[in-house]
Amino acid sequence: HNSKMKKIKLFSIVAAFVAAFAFTSCNTGDSDGFQWPTPQESQALFSQIQGMHNGGILFPGSVGTTDAEKFDKDSVTTYCYVTPSDSMLTVRQVEVSKFAKYFSDATLKAEVEKLPAQDLKIKLVPYNAAQQMFITATQDITYTNADGKKVQIQFYSGLSNYSLAYIGTKKTNNKKELGVYITPGRVLVDGQTKANALKSYFYGGYQQAYYAMLEMEL
């Protein structure tokens, strides 16, 4: 599959996830056929990804253009570890300055370019045992700007502050991987949403946020 098919698949998964989440959040019944993983299934998912692993983050290579399919290969190499006790994925020392290309706001972009590398923590919630998928919630990147106001860069894809991860096969070397979508979705300044702070593109009938992809080898 090429990256375009991968992106289409992501959007269909996100749409299905949003529908299932919206349904289950207001109805605890299983009339739609959706079942959260059992404790045993959740343990089996975490058993595949726990421990320390090498990883890399791919950033889109063409933010701000219509060509959203190109990635900067080998954007960031890092290592990660997953601790099932708190369902947390920690990505060590992410060069968050790389996210500056996502910003249309010139002041914010200049600030992000100066941010130091830092750990990024991502909560993993087992979602679909058969498809080996997780719902994820990535912590905000926060800093204080020149005016002394708190800035929060929030990550999500499709719904609130949630995104998705999956256990699959890495295309470059056929190794098993955990793939995690890391999408800057919203920026808050002093608790208020900063309008039009992030670049986006039109795809599949929707305005979409550019995403980065964490590939963690298992």
Side-chain angles (χ1 to χ4, degrees):
H1 298 320
N2 61 26
S3 57
K4 182 172 289 187
M5 291 301 297
K6 188 175 184 179
K7 189 180 289 287
I8 291 171
K9 182 181 179 185
L10 164 66
F11 292 148
S12 63
I13 290 173
V14 169
F17 156 57
V18 170
F21 189 92
F23 186 90
T24 54
S25 63
C26 60
N27 187 336
T28 55
D30 60 357
S31 57
D32 65 341
F34 176 79
Q35 294 282 353
W36 289 97
T38 66
Q40 292 79 12
E41 289 171 332
S42 296
Q43 185 178 7
L45 286 173
F46 275 112
S47 70
Q48 296 185 65
I49 64 174
Q50 65 186 2
M52 190 169 290
H53 308 277
N54 291 322
I57 301 177
L58 301 178
F59 288 87
S62 309
V63 172
T65 76
T66 55
D67 187 2
E69 308 302 332
K70 291 183 179 179
F71 281 86
D72 293 338
K73 296 299 182 184
D74 304 319
S75 295
V76 172
T77 55
T78 183
Y79 68 92
C80 322
Y81 57 89
V82 176
T83 48
S85 59
D86 59 3
S87 308
M88 198 69 71
L89 162 63
T90 301
V91 190
R92 292 281 293 144
Q93 293 300 294
V94 176
E95 294 175 52
V96 297
S97 58
K98 295 267 190 175
F99 285 104
K101 68 166 67 179
Y102 289 77
F103 287 81
S104 54
D105 183 288
T107 301
L108 285 171
K109 181 176 182 179
E111 291 171 351
V112 172
E113 285 174 341
K114 298 175 183 176
L115 293 178
Q118 56 193 270
D119 290 359
L120 205 59
K121 289 185 177 292
I122 302 173
K123 187 79 170 179
L124 298 174
V125 180
Y127 172 65
N128 187 309
Q131 295 185 20
Q132 302 193 98
M133 286 168 45
F134 298 83
I135 296 169
T136 72
T138 303
Q139 70 174 20
D140 298 350
I141 291 174
T142 63
Y143 65 94
T144 302
N145 67 12
D147 297 327
K149 295 181 177 179
K150 181 181 179 181
V151 179
Q152 298 163 263
I153 304 171
Q154 298 185 334
F155 296 80
Y156 61 86
S157 177
L159 182 71
S160 184
N161 198 27
Y162 296 99
S163 192
L164 294 171
Y166 62 89
I167 298 172
T169 304
K170 192 173 180 181
K171 292 176 176 58
T172 51
N173 58 13
N174 289 323
K175 289 187 177 181
K176 186 185 285 187
E177 69 168 359
L178 178 71
V180 185
Y181 292 95
I182 307 176
T183 303
R186 183 170 66 161
V187 180
L188 302 181
V189 179
D190 202 22
Q192 300 296 313
T193 301
K194 179 77 172 176
N196 303 316
L198 294 163
K199 296 176 182 178
S200 60
Y201 64 99
F202 198 72
Y203 188 93
Y206 298 95
Q207 203 68 22
Q208 303 287 351
Y210 289 91
Y211 66 88
M213 168 67 74
L214 168 66
E215 294 183 333
M216 186 181 84
E217 291 190 0
L218 302 176

